[in-house]
Amino acid sequence: MKPARARILDAAAQLMGTIGLARATTKEIARAAGCSEAALYKYFSGKEELFLRVLEERLPRLGPLLAELAEGPFDASAGRSVEENLTEVVRQAALFYEATFPIGASLFAEPALLRRHAEGVHALGAGPLRPLRALAAYVRAEREAGRVRADADADAVASLLLGACLQRAFLKAFPDGEQVTPLEEFAPALVRTVLSGLAPDGPRP
């Protein structure tokens, strides 16, 4: 049998993805994990921390990838271009938002619950702005390294890329979501389009 912490994360990911974050109580998660609610609190401070750990450990690796890029994306020995880095970011972001959309959607139907959740997440030093800020920081670093245009707006680039991924997740949540552009086409096309305005020798507006 898996350790209790792993079972709790598995149960939380399954329940949050099926009945939504609003209805996935710690009591229900503990029951699904085969442990007591008190045991759950031995590993997690509350549902907000459990939610964050699910994002980090059970869903596509957007956060770890952005952290990895921040450690040295322009090291020539890594052999990765800006286009390759951003395409992988878009791939992971699209998968991440696709997985998290059904988890968080229920919160928006209850403003008071959404506010409490946001306060809890922010108290843990997290929140939806973190990927945007991390990606913008990466683009700024590439700008300083001379691999993108000197006047590139890093915040706008991050918003364009991650915003498109979130919209794709929104569209996929609808019954006809299978009509959305396949990810293997979506990611490189989006990045190529954005990079057309970022190349160091690209045309100025």
Side-chain angles (χ1 to χ4, degrees), residues 11-190:
Q14 195 276 329
L15 285 173
M16 289 176 181
T18 53
I19 65 175
L21 187 58
R23 294 176 57 199
T25 64
T26 52
K27 182 179 293 186
E28 289 293 331
I29 292 169
R31 182 182 296 118
C35 67
S36 67
E37 193 172 8
L40 181 150
Y41 281 101
K42 290 181 180 179
Y43 299 96
F44 307 99
S45 61
K47 192 164 76 169
E48 286 73 25
E49 184 186 2
L50 190 52
F51 168 67
L52 294 177
R53 298 292 84 79
V54 166
L55 297 188
E56 292 176 357
E57 300 180 35
R58 292 296 185 274
L59 297 185
R61 57 184 297 273
L62 176 60
L65 173 60
L66 291 172
E68 177 187 323
L69 290 176
E71 291 175 359
F74 3 92
D75 182 354
S77 65
R80 295 183 301 186
S81 66
V82 176
E83 182 173 357
E84 288 170 328
N85 284 334
L86 290 180
T87 300
E88 185 59 18
V89 168
V90 168
R91 284 188 66 259
Q92 294 300 328
L95 293 170
F96 178 83
Y97 288 131
E98 184 180 334
T100 56
F101 198 84
I103 291 176
S106 60
L107 285 175
F108 290 87
E110 302 181 47
L113 181 60
L114 176 61
R115 185 170 56 255
R116 289 197 302 273
H117 174 74
E119 290 170 352
V121 167
H122 290 153
L124 293 167
L129 284 174
R130 193 159 66 171
L132 272 171
R133 289 170 175 163
L135 181 53
Y138 163 69
V139 175
R140 278 192 290 272
E142 291 285 22
R143 185 178 62 195
E144 292 171 7
R147 300 217 301 176
V148 300
R149 280 171 47 164
D151 63 348
D153 187 322
D155 293 308
V157 172
S159 294
L160 285 168
L161 293 175
L162 296 186
C165 293
L166 183 57
Q167 184 200 44
R168 184 178 183 276
F170 172 75
L171 294 174
K172 281 211 73 174
F174 278 79
D176 58 353
E178 69 277 359
Q179 297 181 30
V180 172
T181 304
L183 184 55
E184 60 270 20
E185 298 174 22
F186 170 82
L190 175 62

